[in-house]
Amino acid sequence: MGASLLAMVTPAAAQPAAEPAYRLDIEETDWKGTGAQQFYETPLAKYVSDATTKSPINPDYTNRGECLAHRNDAVKPTGWIKNHYAYCHISEDRDISLIELPANKTVSKVSYRLITVGRGAVANDPTAGRRIEFDVFVDEVKVEVQVPGAPSALTVKLAFEMECGGWPTANSCRDQTGRTQERTVAEWNGGQMSFVLTSPVGSGNPAQPDDKAIGVHRLAVHHMPFPPFWPGPVKRYVMEGGFRFDSAQYIYHKGTQYGHGAIFDRVLPRLQLFRSEPGFPQVSEHIWQALNNPGSTKPEVRGKQIPSELHRIYYDGVRRGANNGQAKITCNVYFPGHGSGTGENCDEFPFQTTAEGAAASQYGAPFGQYSAKPVPDGENSLAGNGISVFYVWDRILDGDAFKVTFK
């Protein structure tokens, strides 16, 4: 399972021929794999409920136990992303082998497991908000081979480091922890370490108002063998993940500003509905019809295809207004008499606050790839409030993508 780094016998002057030399083999990891795009599902009904409360934003973090319960996803190169604020990765059976030379005989082999749990942040204080924390656990150290009288791989020392690379500058991500102290494999068993990555205000993309900084985090393991092992210190990467820091000042919930945040961004949120949602059944039916039978919706356009993957608009108020205006034109043409005094107003999908809304054709998209129809005022307001809370709780910023799906 390991990959040979260096096979060499020490020179005779430094190592008597009668004494064996040893090669250290460290497992290679396919940490660069990207795999299929990840997603997480989040029900719109949850945000409709949260819209009526004054509770603060409370990210739904994960922990070691939940990570292990999602092992099938967590062992993948991309790890398991529970939501924008919760990440975990499991690296099992990491091997360290001592190979006696010149016989090429394994005299000692140990394996261990690493569990990495990551937490994003939201806060109005930039120090607390532009911050990602990790806990890394070491366990299941197992001796698989040990030849009597030979050195033990349990005595190889390890140190861990959470490296980060930021964009647009190296200052966009700072490692606040550095490398851990060196301990032997045996001493690390059952141990835990923590790491912190931060991004100072102003280190993001100057062309964007949200001060976004993006980058990668990589867990590195440093192996420090002692003579007569060859080669010397070896570094191996366990995994790679992605993050985003921002200072979006328009993120409010119930009067509290959450102007700074840090999320794991290699994931697509799925806003999930039932076809007949309690509280707004006509709105949910309208969205279902738009996505599943677009040809039956208004306006009547041949070959209509309504997208389910959407992108939020915040800064372009003109475009949001154009979306709403175009939807109202459709409702007036196809449903005359609705509106004031009827208890109904015009509902549109894709949402007014997205780039795919009713006026998308004014910005280069084909005409008519949307649906508009009257629905009860109360339902429209309830669903709209839920979408607004979704944007806040999941930190969906201007330009961010999400997908609308049904159970």
Side-chain angles (χ1 to χ4, degrees):
M1 191 173 181
S4 178
L5 299 174
L6 184 62
M8 60 185 298
V9 180
T10 50
Q15 180 71 50
E19 295 183 21
Y22 297 91
R23 182 182 77 241
L24 181 70
D25 274 17
I26 309 297
E27 178 196 23
E28 282 277 16
T29 303
D30 183 22
W31 61 272
K32 293 182 179 179
T34 55
Q37 182 183 40
Q38 288 206 58
F39 62 87
Y40 67 89
E41 295 174 335
T42 181
L44 177 57
K46 169 186 181 297
Y47 301 102
V48 169
S49 174
D50 288 340
T52 64
T53 72
K54 293 186 177 181
S55 58
I57 294 178
N58 184 21
D60 185 13
Y61 293 130
T62 188
N63 55 38
R64 182 184 179 197
E66 188 177 33
C67 184
L68 288 169
H70 288 81
R71 175 198 169 278
N72 289 344
D73 292 316
V75 297
K76 296 176 182 177
T78 50
W80 173 55
I81 303 178
K82 179 181 179 181
N83 55 55
H84 268 163
Y85 302 100
Y87 165 92
C88 82
H89 181 271
I90 298 174
S91 182
E92 298 178 323
D93 298 327
R94 300 196 56 77
D95 295 337
I96 302 175
S97 300
L98 300 182
I99 313 297
E100 182 182 326
L101 299 174
N104 256 356
K105 175 184 177 182
T106 299
V107 297
S108 182
K109 180 179 179 180
V110 300
S111 65
Y112 63 96
R113 180 174 68 180
L114 293 175
I115 303 172
T116 303
V117 177
R119 297 179 297 277
V122 289
N124 204 33
D125 171 22
T127 302
R130 296 177 69 100
R131 177 186 181 97
I132 291 178
E133 299 178 349
F134 295 93
D135 294 326
V136 180
F137 305 87
V138 185
D139 64 6
E140 293 198 346
V141 172
K142 296 176 288 188
V143 178
E144 299 183 21
V145 176
Q146 184 61 53
V147 175
S152 172
L154 284 171
T155 60
V156 173
K157 289 189 175 181
L158 307 179
F160 298 88
E161 185 176 11
M162 188 66 72
E163 298 180 353
C164 71
W167 184 90
T169 71
N171 193 46
S172 297
C173 180
R174 294 179 177 177
D175 169 19
Q176 300 293 347
T177 311
R179 191 185 302 188
T180 64
Q181 291 185 344
E182 298 176 10
R183 300 181 188 175
T184 67
V185 179
E187 290 170 338
W188 272 118
N189 193 24
Q192 174 185 346
M193 67 222 77
S194 298
F195 302 94
V196 177
L197 306 180
T198 63
S199 178
V201 169
S203 63
N205 186 352
Q208 295 179 340
D210 293 339
D211 194 12
K212 294 179 184 177
I214 60 173
V216 296
H217 54 83
R218 301 188 297 185
L219 178 61
V221 185
H222 301 265
H223 305 75
M224 278 69 64
F226 51 85
F229 303 138
W230 293 85
V234 177
K235 179 166 70 172
R236 283 285 178 264
Y237 289 108
V238 176
M239 57 77 171
E240 176 188 294
F243 57 78
R244 183 194 75 196
F245 300 107
D246 75 80
S247 295
Q249 299 300 300
Y250 50 89
I251 300 297
Y252 277 86
H253 181 60
K254 294 300 180 182
T256 300
Q257 185 181 39
Y258 297 85
H260 306 276
I263 65 168
F264 299 99
D265 64 345
R266 296 186 181 182
V267 65
L268 180 68
R270 289 183 174 180
L271 187 62
Q272 200 172 67
L273 294 85
F274 286 101
R275 184 171 179 179
S276 182
E277 286 278 2
F280 49 101
Q282 291 192 43
V283 171
S284 58
E285 176 65 24
H286 176 211
I287 297 173
W288 186 92
Q289 185 181 20
L291 292 175
N292 291 277
N293 190 10
S296 67
T297 65
K298 309 303 183 196
E300 296 174 353
V301 176
R302 181 177 297 178
K304 179 190 289 192
Q305 294 183 333
I306 298 178
S308 61
E309 184 170 327
L310 311 177
H311 298 79
R312 186 187 180 186
I313 298 171
Y314 173 76
Y315 287 108
D316 195 342
V318 172
R319 187 165 182 172
R320 293 200 312 270
N323 283 341
N324 185 247
Q326 183 62 42
K328 286 182 175 179
I329 290 172
T330 301
C331 281
N332 290 334
V333 169
Y334 289 94
F335 306 96
H338 84 283
S340 179
T342 67
E344 293 182 326
N345 61 23
C346 189
D347 184 40
E348 59 194 280
F349 185 85
F351 308 129
Q352 175 189 355
T353 52
T354 65
E356 293 73 20
S361 61
Q362 300 176 27
Y363 298 85
F367 175 75
Q369 309 306 299
Y370 67 94
S371 175
K373 66 176 293 187
V375 298
D377 289 340
E379 287 196 28
N380 204 15
S381 177
L382 199 63
N385 287 340
I387 294 164
S388 296
V389 174
F390 162 64
Y391 288 157
V392 170
W393 276 69
D394 286 59
R395 209 161 187 90
I396 309 298
L397 305 186
D398 183 72
D400 283 358
F402 63 97
K403 190 167 185 174
V404 178
T405 62
F406 279 81
K407 289 184 178 181

